[in-house]
Amino acid sequence: MAVILLSGGLDSALNLALAARDGRAGLALTMRYGQRAEAAECAAASALAAHFGVQWRAIDLRWLGE
């Protein structure tokens, strides 16, 4: 099983699609580090994971900016 880093953008969405197609996608992770588009990225990533039937988690890394 693969862990896919999923930002919600085109590149990571394609990686998720290919892994899901091959039955290897086990978990999709989105990093939350205080980016301006965080809400939109998380919404897109969550929707993509749901579409491909993959468990999704958002990891809080906002402490990196401190």
Side-chain angles (χ1 to χ4, degrees):
M1 289 288 187
V3 175
I4 308 298
L5 297 178
L6 185 61
S7 68
L10 183 60
D11 295 338
S12 64
L14 178 60
N15 286 332
L16 176 61
L18 294 173
R21 177 197 68 189
D22 295 342
R24 295 183 299 124
L27 177 65
L29 294 178
T30 300
M31 305 304 158
R32 297 176 58 214
Y33 53 91
Q35 63 271 42
R36 282 187 219 129
E38 182 178 295
E41 287 181 17
C42 285
S46 175
L48 283 164
H51 174 78
F52 289 105
V54 176
Q55 183 181 7
W56 175 77
R57 295 273 189 253
I59 306 298
D60 187 354
L61 296 176
R62 289 176 288 182
W63 55 270
L64 285 172
E66 295 175 0

